[in-house]
Amino acid sequence: MSGNCFVKLCVSCSNDNSLRVKLKQGVQCDVKAKITSKKVRRISVKELSGIVRESRRWRVDLKVPRRSEQLLWNKRHTCVQYSWALNELLATLLAVNKLEQCFDLLSKYPSVVNIGTLNLSMRLASALLYEWNSKNDSTKCITSKLPNNPKRILHFAVSQLNYALKQGIVPSPLSISILAQICAHAQRLRPVLIAKSVFESKQQQLHENTIPPTLDVVAYGALVYAAGRCNRIDIMERFLREMGRHDIQPSAKLICGAVESYSRSGAPERGLAVWESAQNLYSIEPDSRLLAALSDACARASDAHRALHIFRRIQINPQQLLREPTLHALTLAAVRGSRFRFAMRLVRIACMNSFTIRYSLISSLLDCIRYTHGEGIGLRRRIILELFVLTTRGWNCSKIAFIKNSNGIEEDRGKKLSLEDRGIVQVVESLVHIGCVDYAIEVVSRLPRKNVDDLSLSSGIVVGALCKLGRESDGMVLARG
């Protein structure tokens, strides 16, 4: 072995737990390496109990979870041997948002669990889901050892639940509610249905001679939300019937989830019927989110009568209940339900609050103008046109899309609009008839240049009106433009 020197290590331990390493044969120097090997000191259960009590005091009473974490993290090798100490350590780490350390503890030490450990593991899954929701689209694909999408988070939650079931632990309503929220985002309803059936069967075994306890309103709200997100309206209705049998009073959040699910499935009338039934039985006070869901259901169902009742509820406390989506949906419901004076009132409120007027409302007004074209300029048609003028007065010229047809599909391929889609020519003609010539000029100026037919017809109508009013010079300018 030429070129290499044989190294002989002589290790001698001293009293101060240091190691002296001597390198011999050709090396004329002594290297002293002082390696400190700290042994983990075993602590008694009494001492660990005192540390856990102190940690709980810092975390719960004094609201200083960082101090609680410092007390327990160094004793984690002992904490994992006892469920009560492990639960306090997990609660502390969740309080300071150290999710990776929680995930490592539950992955490496799954031997000691109880119902508290299961609840904390579900809370960790909920925190992971919140982190996934809070990230933008560009950071959702970042690889990490933590579950970083709803399906992986659901896999982690189901694995924790399966391990707890093998230990004979019954899932709590809190665990079921968190699992239902994860299933809603992962579009998988079967795991939470199995957890619910296990909970009910275990409770029936434990309470053979008495009435077994049922899930609370929070768990049922999460189940209704999950069934609605998974488009299982039949299962959602089954949950609602179970709540009625157990006489569980629904919350505004639960009713909101049911109404939104019915609206997404194309049955907004059934959602409004559920709201009315719950209102008659329990007198639920709606919040802003529930009012927005009810307003959207009214717009989808073209129910202006119910929209008026919802608006009267908003008038009780408009500062907290009035929101831009709610007012837009109510206005859309009023227009589609032919309650144009009510719609005029709502649009004025929107203008006073500087709310944005959306294209769906303008599209509905264009449809109304086109459908009533044969009626002449009567009172009803005049109100529609005044509402159109009021609605589009503050519209951004770069965003308004008169080249969109009644279905909201933009014709941007150079194809001419069909005759039934030429509602804008009728709008210009109607505006001229009611005397809004200046606004008709503004509408014509917004038309894109590639719509030659619409532009020429509209310009001819406006130029003729200007000539009748003695404004030939304005007509000539418009014709040249």
Side-chain angles (χ1 to χ4, degrees):
M1 298 175 64
S2 62
N4 296 329
C5 59
F6 179 74
V7 180
K8 182 178 180 181
L9 295 179
C10 296
V11 181
S12 61
C13 298
S14 59
N15 293 330
D16 58 350
N17 295 328
S18 64
L19 300 178
R20 183 180 301 274
V21 181
K22 295 182 178 180
L23 303 178
K24 292 185 177 181
Q25 192 172 356
V27 181
Q28 301 296 326
C29 63
D30 292 337
V31 179
K32 296 181 180 180
K34 194 172 185 179
I35 304 174
T36 59
S37 58
K38 294 183 179 179
K39 294 183 179 180
V40 179
R41 187 177 67 87
R42 294 284 183 179
I43 61 175
S44 62
V45 177
K46 184 177 180 181
E47 185 179 358
L48 181 62
S49 177
I51 294 175
V52 168
R53 283 198 301 270
E54 185 69 14
S55 171
R56 189 176 292 113
R57 186 177 72 86
W58 279 100
R59 180 175 60 87
V60 179
D61 298 337
L62 301 180
K63 307 296 182 184
V64 189
R66 184 71 61 184
R67 173 63 176 164
S68 178
E69 180 211 358
Q70 295 173 359
L71 288 174
L72 277 178
W73 180 247
N74 294 330
K75 306 295 187 299
R76 61 185 180 277
H77 299 289
T78 309
C79 289
V80 296
Q81 301 177 12
Y82 307 96
S83 59
W84 45 272
L86 176 62
N87 293 346
E88 177 60 26
L89 178 56
L90 290 173
T92 300
L93 294 175
L94 285 174
V96 296
N97 201 30
K98 292 193 174 182
L99 306 182
E100 291 189 7
Q101 296 178 3
C102 286
F103 186 77
D104 290 339
L105 286 175
L106 291 172
S107 301
K108 294 179 181 178
Y109 307 101
S111 57
V112 181
V113 294
N114 58 11
I115 186 62
T117 314
L118 178 60
N119 290 337
L120 288 167
S121 62
M122 290 299 169
R123 283 179 53 193
L124 172 60
S126 178
L128 292 173
L129 186 65
Y130 176 79
E131 290 290 329
W132 178 82
N133 279 328
S134 61
K135 293 178 181 178
N136 52 26
D137 294 335
S138 61
T139 58
K140 280 183 181 178
C141 298
I142 294 178
T143 58
S144 173
K145 65 179 180 180
L146 290 176
N148 55 2
N149 60 60
K151 291 184 178 180
R152 291 185 179 180
I153 296 171
L154 179 61
H155 182 269
F156 166 72
V158 169
S159 64
Q160 295 296 316
L161 180 62
N162 287 335
Y163 185 80
L165 293 176
K166 291 179 182 179
Q167 304 295 323
I169 298 172
V170 182
S172 64
L174 174 63
S175 300
I176 293 176
S177 63
I178 296 176
L179 184 62
Q181 295 175 5
I182 301 172
C183 288
H185 286 82
Q187 298 291 309
R188 299 286 189 274
L189 195 59
R190 183 176 174 82
V192 72
L193 294 180
I194 295 175
K196 180 178 177 294
S197 63
V198 169
F199 172 81
E200 292 174 348
S201 62
K202 291 291 185 180
Q203 293 298 334
Q204 289 178 359
Q205 293 176 5
L206 295 175
H207 302 81
E208 294 181 356
N209 300 324
T210 59
I211 299 176
T214 59
L215 297 175
D216 54 5
V217 64
V218 177
Y220 269 112
L223 289 171
V224 167
Y225 175 74
R229 284 289 298 267
C230 296
N231 295 324
R232 295 300 305 271
I233 304 299
D234 53 340
I235 297 178
M236 185 186 73
E237 291 178 343
R238 189 183 77 188
F239 292 151
L240 293 175
R241 289 193 296 268
E242 287 180 7
M243 292 181 61
R245 286 199 304 267
H246 298 308
D247 197 18
I248 299 175
Q249 180 176 349
S251 61
K253 185 177 181 180
L254 187 147
I255 298 298
C256 178
V259 172
E260 290 176 348
S261 301
Y262 278 120
S263 298
R264 283 194 301 266
S265 63
E269 298 88 354
R270 295 168 68 181
L272 294 171
V274 168
W275 155 249
E276 289 181 351
S277 176
Q279 181 66 19
N280 294 331
L281 291 175
Y282 303 105
S283 299
I284 299 175
E285 191 67 26
D287 55 2
S288 59
R289 183 180 175 185
L290 176 56
L291 289 173
L294 293 172
S295 304
D296 181 67
C298 290
R300 292 172 184 264
S302 301
D303 195 338
H305 180 70
R306 284 172 172 161
L308 180 60
H309 286 285
I310 294 172
F311 179 69
R312 288 172 180 170
R313 281 187 169 272
I314 294 176
Q315 285 182 313
I316 298 174
N317 190 2
Q319 293 182 352
Q320 294 184 0
L321 300 179
L322 185 61
R323 298 291 185 270
E324 181 177 325
T326 306
L327 193 64
H328 168 73
L330 290 175
T331 310
L332 200 58
V335 170
R336 291 175 178 175
S338 300
R339 299 290 294 270
F340 298 107
R341 292 186 183 275
F342 177 43
M344 182 81 73
R345 181 182 178 186
L346 295 176
V347 170
R348 288 196 177 100
I349 294 174
C351 294
M352 289 171 55
N353 291 274
S354 301
F355 289 163
T356 302
I357 304 297
R358 303 185 184 182
Y359 177 75
S360 56
L361 177 58
I362 298 179
S363 177
S364 298
L365 288 172
L366 288 172
D367 292 338
C368 292
I369 294 172
R370 186 169 64 250
Y371 296 153
T372 59
H373 183 65
E375 298 179 3
I377 306 299
L379 178 61
R380 181 167 175 264
R381 186 169 171 80
R382 185 180 294 273
I383 293 175
I384 297 174
L385 291 168
E386 290 177 358
L387 181 59
F388 176 78
V389 173
L390 179 63
T391 304
T392 58
R393 178 66 72 180
W395 189 266
N396 190 356
C397 296
S398 62
K399 291 183 178 180
I400 194 166
F402 289 120
I403 60 174
K404 289 185 177 179
N405 58 20
S406 58
N407 295 323
I409 303 174
E410 187 174 356
E411 301 285 347
D412 56 354
R413 300 178 183 176
K415 185 173 61 175
K416 290 184 180 181
L417 299 176
S418 58
L419 291 175
E420 55 267 21
D421 291 331
R422 286 185 183 172
I424 190 59
V425 178
Q426 300 171 2
V427 170
V428 172
E429 184 180 2
S430 301
L431 290 173
V432 170
H433 285 168
I434 66 173
C436 297
V437 181
D438 292 332
Y439 192 70
I441 296 173
E442 184 179 351
V443 170
V444 172
S445 64
R446 293 181 182 182
L447 281 173
R449 297 306 177 200
K450 64 180 181 181
N451 288 352
V452 181
D453 294 340
D454 286 349
L455 186 60
S456 60
L457 289 174
S458 303
S459 300
I461 294 171
V462 177
V463 168
L466 290 173
C467 292
K468 289 181 181 180
L469 295 175
R471 297 168 58 181
E472 290 83 359
S473 59
D474 295 338
M476 293 297 293
V477 172
L478 180 62
R480 290 172 186 170

